[in-house]
Amino acid sequence: MKSLASITEKEIEIIKMALNDSISDMNTELKQELSPEQKNRLVDFKAKYTRVFDKLKQSGSIYALTETDLDIVAGGLNDAIDLIEDNLTDDLSEEDVEEFLAYKNDCQNLIDLLSL
């Protein structure tokens, strides 16, 4: 069974990529017409994701994160999976689909590890 201690640099990069993808998606959503409540909620999530992303950029270690931060990581990974599923279209090349599915699988494996 895998543990947090076994998380590799590649997996940290996947986490950072998932958080960055989620933050980018939130930036896009914030440009749309939103109610004040929706906007506040989105700004709050973006701030949390950005804080955790910045921690990982600085330290590169999963141990720099608190338990709350790990929950935010799981949320970012879930959001990344949703984005992948939303962007898997018929007009993608087979190579792109394989790349997206590998990224999705990596995100899911990390979610499974964090849920232990």
Side-chain angles (χ1 to χ4, degrees), residues 29-114:
E29 285 185 55
L30 285 167
K31 292 176 184 173
Q32 298 174 4
E33 190 96 13
L34 300 171
S35 72
E37 296 85 21
Q38 290 172 315
K39 186 173 184 171
N40 287 338
R41 185 180 55 81
L42 208 51
V43 167
D44 182 53
F45 272 110
K46 181 183 170 193
K48 289 176 183 178
Y49 282 29
T50 300
R51 181 180 52 77
V52 173
F53 178 77
D54 288 342
K55 275 187 179 182
L56 285 174
K57 272 185 12 183
Q58 288 178 344
S59 76
S61 171
I62 200 76
Y63 292 112
L65 304 179
T66 65
E67 190 172 328
T68 301
D69 294 339
L70 292 174
D71 290 340
I72 292 167
V73 166
L77 291 164
N78 270 318
D79 289 350
I81 288 172
D82 289 342
L83 287 169
I84 292 164
E85 290 172 351
D86 290 346
N87 289 295
L88 280 176
T89 60
D90 293 338
D91 61 338
L92 293 173
S93 70
E94 188 175 318
E95 187 176 286
D96 287 339
V97 170
E98 287 177 20
E99 189 176 319
F100 275 134
L101 292 177
Y103 175 41
K104 178 182 175 186
N105 187 50
D106 290 340
C107 289
Q108 186 60 57
N109 289 337
L110 285 163
I111 291 169
D112 294 344
L113 175 63
L114 291 171

